[in-house]
Amino acid sequence: MNDPKRFIERAAEFLKQQREMYGDFSVKLDTDSETRNPQIKEPATGFISKPTDNKQSDKAQAKAENVTEKKSTAERIQDCATLEELMELCKEAEELKTDLDGTNLVFGVGNPSADLMIVGEAPGYNEDQQGEPFVGQAGQLLDKIMGAINFKRSEIYIANILKHRPPDNRDPKPEERQRSLPYLLRQIELIDPKLILCVGRISATTLLDKETSLGNLRNTFHEFHGRELIVTYHPAALLYNQKYKRPTWEDVQLLRKRYDELGGKP
Ligand code: URA
Ligand code: URA
């Protein structure tokens, strides 16, 4: 049975029928259950593991509901047909929040059908205040870098791995990144960019699912869900380390060249 929802519906239906027939509640997992009720063939075993008392059936019920709930988060994400719908879902999503109270959603900004998408790490103070990614000092430098390869901010789309600010600007935790990822992946699908630029190690290692240094990931194109992804240093790193400027410049020139080869617009 490959549709879990359907399986649960049928299991629930089965339990209901059993309850109606035998009262509340004992299902014997013996072979003659089939002779007593030949129409009901599955899915008796496995789902009801023991002759049940009420507690046991409550547990089974809770388990069934839990499975449905988990499935439905993924389904609700997948059901979003537009960025607006996804943003509404993100607004309600407790799992996107960090342990810093009262933060604003920083969903993403820019051209909704951009051929280039930039993915950073997480909002900082200014981004949280304005609800927009990369608006602080690092953001201004990012705009300059993109300007140097002839991209206007409005032509591309910018988002982060996390959609809420972590406390004290600490690195996003692995579990926070994993909780955010399904939302970001849907966002990428909806924008459907030809190229993704990850800025910084957190962004790159999260999307590529590979724990390694930024130096090992930059200067090349990676395959990512049928798209191409390139990695470079985080603009915040450039603010403090001059030595990252040249390699970043090389990476973004590579990016621009590939963008044009792929027929990126505008
Ligand atoms: N740094 C990031 O990674 N993202 C932002 O939005 C701002 C700073
Ligand atoms: N090292 C990293 O891991 N990331 C940066 O953005 C810069 C240096």
Side-chain angles (χ1 to χ4, degrees):
M1 183 129 3
N2 40 25
D3 181 352
K5 203 174 160 197
R6 181 77 194 115
F7 173 82
I8 289 158
E9 280 167 7
R10 290 177 68 172
E13 188 57 34
F14 172 69
L15 285 171
K16 199 170 143 231
Q17 282 173 320
Q18 291 289 311
R19 203 175 259 130
E20 278 162 12
M21 280 188 290
Y22 302 115
D24 202 19
F25 187 89
S26 171
V27 181
K28 284 220 186 91
L29 289 181
D30 51 18
T31 40
D32 68 18
S33 66
E34 202 160 300
T35 39
R36 275 185 273 142
N37 193 346
Q39 302 97 302
I40 301 169
K41 290 219 169 63
E42 56 170 352
T45 45
F47 192 74
I48 305 155
S49 52
K50 276 186 200 146
T52 40
D53 56 21
N54 272 334
K55 253 189 206 145
Q56 199 67 35
S57 67
D58 285 353
K59 251 191 207 163
Q61 187 78 25
K63 199 173 166 192
E65 275 163 14
N66 200 5
V67 171
T68 317
E69 216 174 84
K70 259 193 199 146
K71 169 81 178 166
S72 76
T73 300
E75 262 180 353
R76 289 213 309 275
I77 292 172
Q78 212 50 40
D79 283 351
C80 292
T82 63
L83 287 175
E84 288 73 23
E85 285 174 29
L86 185 63
M87 187 165 79
E88 289 307 311
L89 193 63
C90 288
K91 277 184 192 162
E92 297 165 10
E94 287 298 317
E95 61 190 334
L96 290 177
K97 293 188 178 156
T98 65
D99 48 329
L100 182 63
D101 283 338
T103 52
N104 294 307
L105 176 72
V106 181
F107 178 71
V109 72
N111 174 1
S113 51
D115 280 335
L116 173 62
M117 179 164 174
I118 298 179
V119 180
E121 180 175 316
Y125 174 82
N126 292 295
E127 289 76 22
D128 176 49
Q129 292 292 303
Q130 297 182 41
E132 187 173 325
F134 283 104
V135 292
Q137 232 190 332
Q140 284 161 27
L141 181 54
L142 182 64
D143 288 349
K144 269 194 206 159
I145 294 167
M146 297 319 288
I149 50 165
N150 292 316
F151 285 110
K152 290 195 202 99
R153 189 174 164 96
S154 59
E155 292 168 344
I156 60 193
Y157 194 94
I158 309 176
N160 283 308
I161 298 290
L162 293 202
K163 299 201 180 300
H164 283 269
R165 183 187 179 208
D168 308 319
N169 297 328
R170 65 156 167 75
D171 281 356
K173 296 175 185 169
E175 59 271 23
E176 289 172 332
R177 302 192 239 159
Q178 288 313 311
R179 289 200 302 267
S180 288
L181 197 53
Y183 295 87
L184 178 60
L185 292 178
R186 185 63 185 151
Q187 197 169 13
I188 293 171
E189 277 178 354
L190 290 169
I191 294 160
D192 194 23
K194 290 184 177 5
L195 273 170
I196 296 170
L197 170 65
C198 287
V199 293
R201 190 181 56 84
I202 296 281
S203 166
T205 57
T206 306
L207 287 189
L208 294 173
D209 194 19
K210 214 186 255 180
E211 280 307 324
T212 183
S213 72
L214 191 128
N216 284 337
L217 294 171
R218 59 166 291 269
N219 192 35
T220 187
F221 291 93
H222 304 262
E223 196 278 335
F224 181 75
H225 296 254
R227 299 166 214 286
E228 292 184 34
L229 183 154
I230 188 168
V231 172
T232 198
Y233 293 98
H234 195 288
L238 267 65
L239 289 170
Y240 300 103
N241 294 283
Q242 294 289 322
K243 66 174 181 186
Y244 294 134
K245 280 192 175 162
R246 175 166 290 277
T248 301
W249 178 235
E250 289 166 5
D251 290 332
V252 295
Q253 284 186 99
L254 210 56
L255 164 75
R256 179 73 226 197
K257 187 163 167 273
R258 189 69 188 135
Y259 184 88
D260 294 337
E261 280 169 7
L262 292 170
K265 288 193 183 63

